[in-house]
Amino acid sequence: MIPFNKPYMNGKELYYIAQAHANGHLSGDGPFTKRCNAWLEAQTGTRKAMLTHSGTAALEMAAILADIQPGDEVIMPSFTFVSTANAVVLRGGVPVFVDIRPDTLNLDETQIEAAITPRTKAILPVHYAGVGCAMETIMAIAARHNLIVIEDAAHGILARYGGRELGAIGHLGCLSFHETKNVISGEGGALLVNDERFVQRAEIIREKGTNRSAFFRGEVDKYTWVDLGSSYLPNELTAAFLWAQMEEAYSITERRLAIWQTYHDAFAVLEVAGLVRRPVIPDGVIHNAHMYYLLLPDLETRTAFIDGLKAAGIHTVFHYVPLHSAPAGRRYSRTCGDLPVTTSVSERLVRLPLWIGVEEYQEQIIDAVIAQVQALAGG
Ligand SMILES: *Cc1c(COP(=O)(O)O)cnc(C)c1O
């Protein structure tokens, strides 16, 4: 079976973990965490990068920083991972789901203003598949209505919109280094604090609500409980692993882009024949090949397609179950409109294997996909 995902490791992870072992500093914010933070700051231009133990943790920190209070509303897509919404619900906030664009599958910026109410506190766009949302429009809407923008850039490492790195455009940005992402540490993430206003409080929230970071810099003579907080730091072994990946982040992205392009070129014939729709990358957007997906005609075709490829020894998957239709979504959130694009896309989207090393199977995958799509169209 050709797996859907296989985490890429380059070997240097073990070398750096051995160094962390020798350093004897195992808890958070040791030398490897500092290196990773500095790399993220240099790479993205963010004011302050802070590694977290997951992308979910970064989103939770962002929701605390945005001061989401019970009843406050946050506009986001329903077509996303649960953590985007959970971060808001954990503060007592209400996710307000807006439909996605049919081309990029990102939050439809033309529908955001209709969803704004006096309770709206923030906009939480998700850069689906590492393809940037229309950030200049979203930032302009936020400025007009005095809202905070939190980017869910879990897919977005090294991708750009209008020349700027995803996650470093809004007030706050959240990255993930989960093993299914491009640059990984098993579990892991980072908060990018782009707005100076939030830097000091972010440090405190990440350190269990204490001013421990200021204490270590010698700015206060004792550290104490000063605010809300939790434990959001990764340990140094995780950061050591991640550092080996960051050193290779450019070559990882290049290899993924080559795989992505091979799929894209091969499936042009299917799109021309009207049998599938391929991903759309708008002008001014530099993506990072986080994923390759196809949109099939309907749910029945997709189910048969996934089964057919499985029989051919190829594992493909779909996502997301729209959050507004999920049991917890119905309890904790509301929608703005009917979300027809979200519903349609969630029934028709299939993701193909995209991992470093899949190149040697790619011809086999492409042949099987084309044969399956044509057979389903003919039948
Ligand atoms: C992966 C992901 C997250 C959460 O990241 P973790 O590191 O797994 O906690 C959040 N949002 C989106 C869109 C994701 O794909």
Side-chain angles (χ1 to χ4, degrees), residues 54-56 59 80-81 83-84 126 152 154-155 176 178 181 188 320:
S54 64
T56 301
L59 285 161
T80 181
F81 188 62
S83 295
T84 319
V126 178
D152 182 336
H155 301 176
S176 170
H178 186 267
K181 305 303 198 300
Y320 296 105

Side-chain angles (χ1 to χ4, degrees), residues 270-293:
L270 296 177
E271 192 169 63
V272 169
L275 301 177
V276 302
R277 212 214 72 198
R278 297 178 302 158
V280 174
I281 313 294
D283 290 342
V285 167
I286 296 175
H287 75 111
N288 60 1
H290 174 58
M291 103 174 53
Y292 199 87
Y293 66 81

